[in-house]
Every structure is written in structure tokens, then in C-alpha cells.
């Protein structure tokens, strides 16, 4: 069973949580022509994506959201200030305002997922708030964050939250049903965003990846190496014994990590960094690279 945490009604405490059990979510096939790079064949078709924010924003919009936020929280025992760091698609001005106002202390996306391991659907239109929480809701609504889904991620030495942000509030039953229908795809995207942004944090990256050549996982390296040899997703899937969709998932994660628009650019950047060489190819790639 899948647990989804929901905010209270207007008559209850501001951030009190209730747990609603729903039926298991069935993975929905992505619609033809979708621009969600890691979910469908033709992932290279994400155009106008010159940086990771553009790629991630395209994924969020493809799933019916307006943006995404990523929070990384170091363990209290490992940092003098355990306040989560924020990366998002909402611009540097919002990130600076968020830090200065210390919105992390009252942000429903963080409050509702504290000590939780399940996704949380939050709705600013249903939260009765005052004080700092009211200020956060007003400030967030001003830039277009009024509801969304927050997905907690456990990481070594801390915690992370991937948030899908929406300007829609209150959340209707139809909207809620649509979100639940897409939740499987959202979990895939959340994993890719987490992998890319977690690796981008200098202190964390140094601790988790002392060798720069390990920035690509075993499968990401294998799929990218085979792509460099001209193999299609279907060809790679046959050789590795996995689904074509899974190949696109691994290639999509590599695209984000390398801040690449398409496979060709990802291959070029990987070669420039020494992560791919002329000897890389379909045979033996999986055994060469360890993470």
C-alpha cells in the first residue's frame, strides 16, 4: 500500500498530518511526444535545455507541475548549521529570499516530511496559518508555489527532499487523482533529480565520490558508452537485458549530471572529462566501472 501524507483541513491545526492509504499506483505509460527525458524513448528531444535547471523544469512541466525544489539537510551532528540548503527552478532571487527569511523552519514541504519516508501531498489553500508560516505561504504563492508533492530521500550523513511545486490551490479531487496517477513517474524523476543535485553539492560530492570518474554509475556509464558506439536504446536494452525505458532512465540521469542537452553532448562532455574513452564499448563496460 502507498501512504500519502495530506495536510489538515481549515478547521484543524496548521500543519497537523493525517495518513491516507491508497491503492498501489500503477505505472502510467508516458504519452507520445513527452519531453520527460528519462521516461520515454527519444530523450534527446528536450530542446532549449542549456543547463540542468532547464532539463529538470521540462520534466516537472511534463508531469503537470510548474517547477521543482531540492533540499539537502546535513545531519545535525555533522554541521554547525543544519538548515537545509535549497536548489530550485524558481531563480536565485527566491533562493536568497528563502534563506534570509529562514523559511525552511516552517516550510510545509519540510515540516510534513520530517521523519517520514513517504511522499507528501501538501495544499497551501487548506492550511490555516499565521506568523512565519503565513509569511512563507504568502511569499511562496507570490512566485507560484501554492501546493505540490514533497518526496523525502535518505542520504548518507543527512536527508534530502525533492519537491514538485504547483501554482494550483486548493487541490481538487480531480487534481489529486491526476497526481496519484503520475506518482510512479514522479518517483523516477525525483530519483534522477536527487542524483544530479546531490552530486552537485561540493562537500557531499567529495565525501561520496572521492574519484571523479565515479560520477556516472555503472549502468549510466554502460548506456552512454554504448550510445557513443552508435547503439540505439533498443539495441542497448537487448545487450544489457533490460527494458528500453530503463536505458532512457539511465541516459537521462547522465544528461542531468553532465548538464547536457542530448546524448551527443553528454558523450562529448564525458569524453572531455575522461569518463569515456575510445576503448569504451558494448562489451565489458559493465565490469569496468564500479560505484
Amino acid at each position: 500500500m502507498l501512504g500519502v501524507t495530506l495536510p489538515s483541513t481549515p478547521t484543524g491545526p496548521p500543519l497537523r498530518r493525517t495518513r491516507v492509504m491508497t491503492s498501489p499506483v500503477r505505472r502510467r505509460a508516458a504519452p507520445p511526444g513527452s519531453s520527460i527525458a528519462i521516461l520515454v524513448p527519444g530523450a534527446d528531444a528536450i530542446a532549449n535545455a542549456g543547463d540542468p535547471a532547464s532539463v529538470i523544469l521540462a520534466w516537472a512541466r511534463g508531469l503537470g507541475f510548474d517547477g521543482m525544489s531540492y533540499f539537502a539537510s546535513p545531519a545535525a551532528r555533522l554541521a554547525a548549521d543544519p538548515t537545509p540548503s535549497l536548489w530550485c527552478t524558481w531563480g536565485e532571487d527566491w533562493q536568497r529570499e528563502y534563506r534570509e527569511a529562514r523559511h525552511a523552519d516552517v516550510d510545509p514541504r519540510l515540516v510534513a516530511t520530517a521523519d517520514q519516508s513517504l511522499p507528501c501531498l501538501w495544499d497551501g489553500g487548506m492550511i490555516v496559518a499565521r506568523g512565519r508560516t503565513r509569511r512563507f505561504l504568502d511569499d511562496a504563492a507570490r512566485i507560484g508555489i501554492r501546493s505540490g508533492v514533497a518526496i523525502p530521500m535518505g542520504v548518507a550523513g543527512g536527508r534530502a527532499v525533492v519537491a514538485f511545486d504547483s501554482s494550483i490551490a486548493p487541490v481538487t479531487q480531480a487534481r489529486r487523482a491526476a497526481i496519484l496517477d503520475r506518482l510512479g513517474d514522479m518517483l523516477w524523476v525525483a530519483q534522477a533529480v536527487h542524483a544530479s543535485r546531490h552530486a552537485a553539492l561540493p562537500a557531499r560530492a567529495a565525501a561520496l565520490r572521492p574519484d571523479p570518474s565515479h560520477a556516472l554509475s555503472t549502468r549510466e556509464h554502460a548506456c552512454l558508452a554504448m550510445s557513443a558506439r552508435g547503439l540505439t536504446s533498443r539495441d542497448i536494452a537487448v545487450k544489457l537485458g533490460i527494458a528500453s525505458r530503463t536505458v532512457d532512465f539511465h541516459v537521462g540521469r547522465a544528461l542531468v549530471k553532465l548538464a547536457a542537452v542530448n546524448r551527443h553532448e553528454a558523450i562529448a562532455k564525458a569524453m572531455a572529462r575522461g569518463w569515456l574513452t575510445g576503448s569504451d564499448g558494448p562489451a565489458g563496460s559493465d565490469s569496468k566501472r564500479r560505484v
Side-chain angles (χ1 to χ4, degrees):
M1 302 296 282
L2 173 69
V4 179
T5 305
L6 301 174
S8 64
T9 62
T11 57
L15 294 176
R16 196 173 181 178
R17 300 189 296 270
T18 58
R19 185 171 298 284
V20 176
M21 303 305 293
T22 66
S23 300
V25 175
R26 299 187 176 212
R27 283 194 55 76
R28 174 182 55 86
S34 172
S35 63
I36 306 173
I38 67 171
L39 299 178
V40 297
D44 302 346
I46 296 185
N48 304 318
D51 60 89
S54 297
V55 176
I56 292 171
L57 182 59
W59 293 346
R61 289 176 175 170
L63 288 168
F65 293 86
D66 300 300
M68 293 190 72
S69 302
Y70 178 79
F71 304 91
S73 306
R77 66 181 183 280
L78 300 179
D81 182 7
T83 302
S85 60
L86 167 66
W87 178 92
C88 66
T89 60
W90 297 99
E92 294 182 0
D93 288 344
W94 169 245
Q95 293 181 57
R96 182 170 53 254
E97 179 181 349
Y98 188 94
R99 288 192 301 270
E100 292 175 352
R102 299 190 67 84
H103 282 325
D105 295 341
V106 295
D107 188 338
R109 297 171 293 183
L110 300 178
V111 173
T113 55
D115 302 320
Q116 298 291 320
S117 59
L118 298 173
C120 166
L121 172 63
W122 73 280
D123 181 357
M126 297 292 288
I127 297 176
V128 176
R130 54 185 178 273
R132 292 182 61 194
T133 302
R134 181 73 267 160
R135 178 186 173 187
F136 165 77
L137 292 174
D138 291 342
D139 289 347
R142 174 169 43 80
I143 67 163
I145 302 176
R146 297 181 177 87
S147 66
V149 176
I151 301 176
M153 301 276 181
V155 299
R159 184 175 178 80
V161 174
V162 178
F164 291 80
D165 303 321
S166 172
S167 60
I168 299 174
V171 177
T172 64
Q173 288 296 328
R175 169 71 174 167
R176 185 176 308 211
I179 290 173
L180 288 174
D181 184 53
R182 299 184 182 119
L183 191 55
D185 289 345
M186 290 166 63
L187 292 173
W188 275 46
V189 172
Q191 288 288 348
V193 172
H194 172 55
S196 66
R197 301 321 307 164
H198 186 63
L201 297 174
R204 307 282 185 131
L208 296 178
R209 292 184 174 89
D211 183 349
S213 67
H214 290 177
L216 295 180
S217 72
T218 299
R219 284 301 195 195
E220 290 161 7
H221 176 268
C223 292
L224 205 58
M226 292 185 193
S227 294
R229 292 299 183 94
L231 275 69
T232 65
S233 291
R234 182 172 296 179
D235 295 332
I236 298 171
V238 171
K239 287 185 173 294
L240 295 181
I242 58 179
S244 297
R245 186 184 185 92
T246 305
V247 172
D248 287 304
F249 168 73
H250 292 303
V251 172
R253 288 181 58 164
L255 288 178
V256 174
K257 289 181 179 180
L258 290 162
V261 177
N262 52 44
R263 294 190 191 203
H264 301 299
E265 184 179 355
I267 291 166
K269 287 187 173 182
M271 286 185 171
R273 298 183 188 186
W275 298 349
L276 289 180
T277 66
S279 62
D280 286 318
S285 292
D286 231 6
S287 62
K288 287 184 184 178
R289 187 69 63 157
R290 291 197 298 267
V291 293

